[in-house]
Amino acid sequence: MIEPSLVPDSQHRGLVSMLPQPFRDFAMLARFDRPIGWWLLFWPCTWGVLLAGGEDQWRLIIWLLIGSIAMRGAGCVLNDIVDADLDRRVARTAQRPVASGRVSKSAAWTWLFMLCAIGLVVLFQLRPQAQLVALGSVGLVAAYPFMKRITWWPQAWLGMVFTWGALVGWIEIRSDHLEALALLYLGSIVWCIGYDTIYAIQDIEDDAIVGIRSSARRLGARVKGGVGAFYALALALWAMAFWTMRPDWVALVALVPMALHLGFQVTTLDPADGENALARFRSNRDAGLVMALACWVVGNAGVI
């Protein structure tokens, strides 16, 4: 039986369960029990900073981490407000705070604005050019909860949203070499499509019943090969980004650990096993760190 304040893929249950009610429900609403989300939002920010040559910008990186935690939480709250009716019909999400009725929609909106206020504080730490880039994601974030209703590829929209930080981090450091930035961002989007397709494997049956669309459902029996293709394309785009910044074979070697990590995910993925898929999805937190180190190597080596 599912505990009323926890969802099946929660992490750090002990910490969350120590919070008194109703704070526990608000923490769950912002997915503080599942830090994987903010890591996946944060890492592209770091990639942009490090590949742009900002290896000494630790204060900026810390602010971006704070912003990632707050804005990922805000995005989850918005998603749960919009999807409350759908969530009630999916086993994995039926016990979420808004769907279950433990948190009212008005209280959820208040919590959403509080999280956005934290994001605003982070925004003011950036230079004007980066502030404008960051604000450019607002429309994408607001539209995301509706994508699963109108397209089979909501993961592509999520990719644009969840990796937008690469643009912000880069523009905070520099405003040139935009071709390298574009390649880094495109590769990050495709990476996100890959890992979120793995995540969507858990919900294929329930999604089919309630009519939710996803890349996992669209790919069907080809889902493993599809994830492999997305990861391969991501690596190719990142390789071009690295080569644009530093046309040297060392730049490409820096991607080998990331290629091995993503290759492991694909070769060991079992689409019939939800726990296996969840573990492969979560491993992208570590993949983000591996990619950050690659960006540091190339960005720290000097640019043209």
Side-chain angles (χ1 to χ4, degrees):
M1 180 177 178
I2 299 173
E3 297 178 51
S5 59
L6 297 171
V7 291
D9 53 349
S10 293
Q11 290 179 297
H12 303 293
R13 295 182 178 217
L15 294 176
V16 171
S17 64
M18 290 171 62
L19 293 173
Q21 293 285 359
F23 299 107
R24 184 187 310 166
D25 285 328
F26 284 100
M28 299 288 293
L29 185 56
R31 308 290 198 277
F32 290 161
D33 58 315
R34 287 183 281 169
I36 179 62
W38 75 59
W39 284 118
L40 294 175
L41 188 63
F42 166 69
W43 282 126
C45 303
T46 305
W47 302 348
V49 171
L50 294 178
L51 188 59
E55 66 277 356
D56 59 344
Q57 298 295 316
W58 293 107
R59 180 177 177 275
L60 169 63
I61 289 174
I62 291 172
W63 275 115
L64 291 172
L65 175 59
I66 294 171
S68 297
I69 295 171
M71 296 315 296
R72 185 265 185 153
C76 290
V77 174
L78 176 62
N79 187 76
D80 282 13
I81 292 172
V82 173
D83 282 353
D85 292 336
L86 286 176
D87 284 346
R88 293 187 188 101
R89 300 161 64 188
V90 177
R92 186 178 57 81
T93 60
Q95 292 301 319
R96 285 178 175 173
V98 176
S100 65
R102 298 193 312 275
V103 173
S104 68
K105 285 191 176 182
S106 60
W109 278 110
T110 300
W111 182 218
L112 171 63
F113 292 137
M114 291 173 64
L115 291 167
C116 287
I118 297 173
L120 189 61
V121 172
V122 175
L123 184 70
F124 288 148
Q125 310 308 310
L126 306 176
R127 65 181 183 134
Q129 296 93 323
Q131 289 178 2
L132 290 174
V133 172
L135 290 172
S137 67
V138 172
L140 294 174
V141 173
Y144 170 68
F146 303 97
M147 291 301 108
K148 67 188 71 174
R149 294 169 170 83
I150 63 176
T151 176
W152 283 99
W153 296 95
Q155 282 69 28
W157 198 273
L158 181 71
M160 291 188 289
V161 171
F162 244 62
T163 63
W164 192 268
L167 305 178
V168 177
W170 183 287
I171 296 300
E172 177 63 18
I173 301 299
R174 61 193 301 165
S175 299
D176 60 344
H177 287 281
L178 298 183
E179 68 283 3
L181 172 57
L183 290 165
L184 175 68
Y185 178 54
L186 290 173
S188 302
I189 291 173
V190 179
W191 169 66
C192 181
I193 296 173
Y195 73 63
D196 202 54
T197 297
I198 293 176
Y199 187 76
I201 288 173
Q202 301 172 90
D203 297 329
I204 286 181
E205 293 182 3
D206 285 338
D207 286 351
I209 293 172
V210 301
I212 295 176
R213 301 176 181 181
S214 73
S215 54
R217 284 191 62 205
R218 171 56 75 184
L219 289 169
R222 302 186 300 275
V223 66
K224 187 170 181 176
V227 171
F230 290 132
Y231 280 171
L233 179 56
L235 288 165
L237 290 165
W238 288 334
M240 288 188 285
F242 281 15
W243 188 266
T244 299
M245 294 297 290
R246 182 177 174 81
D248 189 307
W249 65 269
V250 174
L252 302 184
V253 170
L255 274 175
V256 170
M258 186 63 165
L260 293 174
H261 194 293
L262 297 182
F264 168 80
Q265 287 186 42
V266 174
T267 56
T268 61
L269 177 64
D270 181 0
D273 184 347
E275 288 296 324
N276 172 281
L278 182 60
R280 301 303 173 275
F281 164 74
R282 284 179 176 163
S283 74
N284 281 283
R285 176 197 61 186
D286 301 328
L289 174 59
V290 172
M291 181 63 179
L293 294 174
C295 290
W296 175 79
V297 167
V298 177
N300 193 47
V303 297
I304 299 175

